[in-house]
Amino acid sequence: MPSHSPLRYLTLFLLLAALAALSGFGTHRVAQQLGIADLQTTGLHRLDLYTASLEREIGKYAFLPGTLGLEPDVVELLRQPQENKRQPAVNAYLEQLNERAGTLSIYVIDAGGRVRASSNWQRDDSFVGEDLSFRPYFRDALNNGSGRIFGIGTTRGEPGYYLSSRLADRGQTLGVAVIKVSLEQLEKSWSTGEAPAMVSDENGVVILGSVADWKFTTLRPLDEATRSAFDQTQQYNRRALKPLGLKEIRELDHGARLVRISGDSPEMVSVYPVTGRFLAQSRPLPGTPWTLTVFSHLEQVDDIAQSRATVAGVVAVLLFMFGLMLVERRRHLKDRLAAQQALQQAHDELERKVDERTADLSAANHLLQDEIAERIRAERTLRAAQDELVQAGKLAVIGQLSTGIAHELNQPLAALRTLSGNSVRFLERGDLTTTRTNLERIAQLVDRMGQITGQLRNFARKSSGQLQPVALCHAIDNALALLEPRLRQANAEIVRHCPLPEPRALCDANRLEQVLINLIGNALDAMAGQAAPQIEIDCSGASGSARLAVRDHGPGLDDAAQAHLFEPFFTTKPAGDGLGLGLTISAGIIRDFGGTLTGSNHPAGGAVFTLEMPLFDESTADD
Ligand code: ADP
């Protein structure tokens, strides 16, 4: 997963917040709409119920004012405006009727608007004699035959529902009969309901309400004309008609509205709140100019919508997280699978390469083994040939030397012969001194001969094969000693440079001497004919290597010699003089020591043969 940067977390957080807000908002709306629809259904039922109860209550008395026109006393009383003879009887009748019917008051007014008899004739504030021609119910009855109005009594300030009816006799208007009904009972029954309800009249004044404070408030502002008409008719008996503080928020279908009621009335009445947001549903009351409105509080709907919105928000976030987790998991699995595949591929590739290399290696190994076997065989052959050549070389050198040796030994032998013959004669003469001198001379000659043969034995001795520290100058001296007769004969001069301490090489002394004899012999051969041939022999030791160079002043090496110098049987010497084995054997010997033998031309003329061998180091000698 992919990147865990703070930006990613912030984006995720914002996304989750937006998701929670969106789903919460959506759910809230839906839940609220459903809740409101529910409330609407309940509200319609309540409207039905309240309308029915109100109609029943009013309908009970609807016929009552008209029936007063059937009473002869009432008719008589109204027919004669100046005559009050029947007034007591009518008063009593009305009082009785009022009592029986359970109404607030019943009274009759003559055509001039004056009250002629009333059920409350006995009270101080009786209507009798009052002029009520200004009251709307009176005028409505005169004009339309009947009047219905809710109003507040001018005398006692008691609110009530006035039902009036024109009384006529043979087409002549006699007056108006009025009954005033209290709807308090009905109101009380409403206030115990589940939600508030109200009835407003045509002026938008609340005339009935389950909340006492709502009564005689206005639902809409009253204009000046209406207010002055109220002053005239005293419909609300000069009550201050304050606005209820109802504000419409939104209109819904079927005449329903969302409203807010604010105001200083207590928040709760009975069991329901009376301020806040409500669903208001209204319906005109048949037979009246009134409107019944029931209110359903939205608190519960809001609460439910709120809690559902919260749940929806949380669920949406959880679902999203779950989805995210699934996606992450799938991606993780995919990555893992891909990594596994890549690994498997790499593994297969590696295995293939290993197989390839193994095959190559085993092939190479076989080749190498064959080669090694071949080399070993060649080495063995070469070594055998070399051993033979060494011996052959030795024999050749011995052959060469034997002439010299024979020459060397012949002289002392002849001298011995002469000296011994002389000695016998001197002894016979009794010359002992001369005999002694001769014998001493003989002994010297024998020693000299022994020296020559000893060196010859040394040369012929087979090498032990063991490498030992050999002082280079000492080896040079030994070689020179062996060649002494030849050197003398050639009148050669040897210039020898030996540094101190004397360098020592790890090699075999005898074989090194053989090599030196060969090189010095070649040098002498190269300078044959020169009056005073000169050979320079240098030795040195540095950087783990012992170096020995033999330089002559002969013609040097021509191209053919340089190309084939170390090849067996390469020689430029006349047959019988050289076998062409000397340098081959010498190079083999030096190689045995782990060293090299090279031949080249000196810049100042002549050939230089250089030996390089491992230097014997004193400091590491113990190792
Ligand atoms: P040989 O002495 O029997 O010929 P070597 O192997 O010793 O065999 O020498 C091979 C050849 O190398 C010689 O025949 C000669 O031509 C050449 N050579 C060797 N040493 C010298 C030298 N010091 N100067 C010139 N040529 C040389």
Side-chain angles (χ1 to χ4, degrees), residues 52 231 537:
D231 285 347
I537 305 176

Side-chain angles (χ1 to χ4, degrees), residues 400 518-519 521-527 550 552 554-558 561 564-567 569-573 577-586 601 606-609:
Q400 263 184 354
N518 190 34
L519 292 180
N522 277 351
L524 285 175
D525 285 346
M527 293 186 293
V550 180
D552 60 50
L557 305 167
D558 59 18
H564 307 289
L565 210 50
F566 298 103
E567 285 176 14
F569 304 109
F570 170 75
T571 181
T572 55
K573 292 170 192 168
D577 278 2
L579 273 171
L581 286 173
L583 286 178
T584 314
I585 293 165
S586 298
N601 286 320
V608 190
F609 282 84

Side-chain angles (χ1 to χ4, degrees), residues 89 133 135 144 153 165 211 222 261 315 317 324 371 454 513 612:
S133 57
R135 296 289 268 177
N144 310 323
S165 193
V211 181
L222 299 172
I261 299 178
V315 167
V317 167
L324 210 67
E371 178 115 3
E513 282 164 24
E612 297 223 22

